[in-house]
Amino acid sequence: MYLATWAEFAERAEALWRGAPERARYCIKYRHADGKLVLKCTDDRVCYKFATDQQQDLKKFEKLTTKMMVLMANGDDLPEEDEAAEAPPAANKPEGKRARRS
């Protein structure tokens, strides 16, 4: 069933995954003809879908996908302090030209 609000979809999709992680699936599809992004979470008994064509929903989609990937890999959420540290550390590059060896 298509859900009307993003919050409702995100909440139900996460609950569905936590309830039966061995059976649940999270699918993403972009329909170019309609310009819509369709998200689907199902366990073959219950199916939740959310469709959007709004650019502002992409950030929410990225956050939910990251959270779902963590649940799929680890079985638990990211700790609060790790969410802020998701950006990779800056590479250590030498500044300026290197001195020639004699």
Side-chain angles (χ1 to χ4, degrees):
M1 88 168 96
Y2 278 95
L3 299 174
T5 65
W6 173 261
E8 185 178 14
F9 173 77
E11 180 182 316
R12 288 189 183 193
E14 186 178 341
L16 185 68
W17 184 268
R18 288 182 187 275
E22 64 281 348
R23 294 190 49 88
R25 294 186 310 278
Y26 178 67
C27 305
I28 304 160
K29 179 170 63 172
Y30 178 70
R31 297 182 51 160
H32 182 70
D34 299 334
K36 286 189 176 183
L37 180 68
V38 179
L39 307 172
K40 175 177 148 180
C41 191
T42 182
D43 68 352
D44 292 330
R45 292 183 203 151
V46 180
C47 179
Y48 299 120
K49 290 184 177 181
F50 181 78
T52 184
D53 59 356
Q54 300 297 313
Q55 181 76 22
Q56 64 194 22
D57 288 337
L58 288 179
K59 195 66 170 172
K60 296 174 190 174
F61 155 72
E62 288 176 7
K63 284 184 179 183
L64 177 64
T65 301
T66 301
K67 190 173 193 178
M68 294 297 282
M69 293 297 285
V70 169
L71 286 172
M72 291 174 195
N74 298 338
D76 55 1
D77 290 330
L78 284 171
E80 292 297 322
E81 63 271 0
D82 287 347
E83 289 180 1
E86 285 182 12
N92 294 332
K93 293 184 180 179
E95 294 182 22
K97 294 183 179 181
R98 291 177 54 177
R100 287 185 157 183
R101 293 186 186 187
S102 307

